């Protein structure tokens, strides 16, 4: 048989990425509040700068909404091919920080080195994130005539030949590969978007080789007296 390769996308990363996007909103609220207050300033330059702050705040809100909509429609970015060097949400978040630094300079005549450094870091964190994902490599399951090779997380991987598998235990949320030595390997079906596909492929290939397939034992539910 030809080797079957299934790339995995973790469902839990979706919530983590949504929180990362939403974390850009609190600074925007502060920036918009300062911008509204500055509209009544006597100086025309101050009023113009306030309009700039409001424009940046609106841009961030629109970008956050766009990213949230994208995350709802697509699987999380977990693989090197999916990770972009610079995300738009990082660009607009850095714009907020640079705007705050400019506001500080206009008001006090002193630059805010902390805001400038934070803006530079925000622009670079996308490239750093993409580099880390590329070094880690994709999470995937490979099924071939030799056996099953899986990389489920940074420190969770296994390579087991078919001859070493005594039985396959499958449940609605998790499956186990039981070795003849007594060791078992766990694959979370519900954890990954492709979990059901992985389980179906492994069960089909195991059954074709005469490996017993059993149902995972349901969790015990305590009965109240």
């Amino acid at each position: 048989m030809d080797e079957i390769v299934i790339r995995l996308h973790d469902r839990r990363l979706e919530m983590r990425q949504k929180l990362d996007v939403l974390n850009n909103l609190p600074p925007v609220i502060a920036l918009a509040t300062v911008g509204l207050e500055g509209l009544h300033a006597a100086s025309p330059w101050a009023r113009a700068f306030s309009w700039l702050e409001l424009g940046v705040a609106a841009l961030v809100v629109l970008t956050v909404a766009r990213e949230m909509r994208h995350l709802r429609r697509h699987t999380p970015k977990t693989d090197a091919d999916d990770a972009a060097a610079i995300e738009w949400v990082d660009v607009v978040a850095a714009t907020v920080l640079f705007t705050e630094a400019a506001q500080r300079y206009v008001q006090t005549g002193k630059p805010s080195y902390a805001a400038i450094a934070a803006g530079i870091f925000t622009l670079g964190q996308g490239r750093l994130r993409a580099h880390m994902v590329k070094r880690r490599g994709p999470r995937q399951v490979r099924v071939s005539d030799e056996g099953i090779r899986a990389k489920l997380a940074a420190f969770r991987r296994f390579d087991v030949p078919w001859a070493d598998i005594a039985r396959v235990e499958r449940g609605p949320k998790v499956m186990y590969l039981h070795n003849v030595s007594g060791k078992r390997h766990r694959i979370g079906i519900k954890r990954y978007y492709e979990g059901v596909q992985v389980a179906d492929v492994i069960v089909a290939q195991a059954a074709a080789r005469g490996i017993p397939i059993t149902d995972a034992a349901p969790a015990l539910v305590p009965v109240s007296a």
Side-chain angles (χ1 to χ4, degrees):
M1 60 168 287
D2 294 332
E3 184 180 47
I4 301 174
V5 181
I6 303 175
R7 293 171 61 179
L8 302 176
H9 296 83
D10 197 328
R11 293 179 182 273
R12 296 181 298 182
L13 286 180
E14 181 180 6
M15 180 58 66
R16 190 184 311 169
Q17 292 177 359
K18 286 181 178 179
L19 291 176
D20 289 342
V21 173
L22 292 176
N23 282 337
N24 295 299
L25 289 180
V28 171
I29 296 174
L31 186 66
T33 301
V34 174
L36 289 173
E37 294 175 352
L39 292 178
H40 305 287
S43 171
W45 286 104
R47 291 195 299 271
F49 193 80
S50 296
W51 281 112
L52 174 63
E53 292 173 328
L54 293 175
V56 171
L59 177 62
V60 174
V61 172
L62 291 175
T63 304
V64 167
R66 173 183 174 275
E67 289 294 320
M68 294 296 291
R69 183 170 60 252
H70 177 82
L71 289 174
R72 285 197 301 268
R73 297 179 178 178
H74 300 81
T75 53
K77 300 174 183 179
T78 59
D79 294 333
D81 295 341
D82 298 329
I86 297 181
E87 300 283 356
W88 277 109
V89 68
D90 294 335
V91 174
V92 295
T95 304
V96 172
L97 294 168
F98 291 141
T99 304
E100 292 178 351
Q103 176 195 26
R104 171 74 178 274
Y105 182 79
V106 170
Q107 292 177 344
T108 65
K110 298 179 180 179
S112 176
Y113 295 108
I116 295 174
I120 295 174
F121 174 78
T122 301
L123 281 177
Q125 69 177 355
R127 185 173 298 276
L128 177 62
R129 182 169 54 243
H131 176 70
M132 293 178 63
V133 169
K134 185 176 180 180
R135 288 197 59 182
R136 184 182 61 200
R139 301 180 184 186
Q140 60 187 8
V141 174
R142 293 177 174 268
V143 182
S144 64
D145 287 330
E146 287 73 28
I148 303 171
R149 297 174 57 191
K151 183 177 182 181
L152 306 178
F155 302 102
R156 286 193 59 210
R157 63 182 68 192
F158 62 83
D159 186 351
V160 54
W162 290 114
D164 291 347
I165 301 178
R167 66 185 176 94
V168 175
E169 182 181 2
R170 176 177 179 173
K173 297 182 178 180
V174 66
M175 76 179 307
Y176 297 98
L177 307 178
H178 295 267
N179 286 13
V180 293
S181 62
K183 184 179 180 180
R184 70 178 186 178
H185 303 284
R186 181 182 186 276
I187 301 177
I189 297 176
K190 288 295 185 180
R191 175 173 176 175
Y192 304 101
Y193 284 92
E194 302 82 7
V196 174
Q197 179 186 1
V198 170
D200 289 342
V201 169
I202 292 177
V203 167
Q205 295 300 321
R209 290 166 173 78
I211 299 174
I213 311 296
T214 60
D215 293 331
L220 298 178
V221 179
V223 178
S224 57

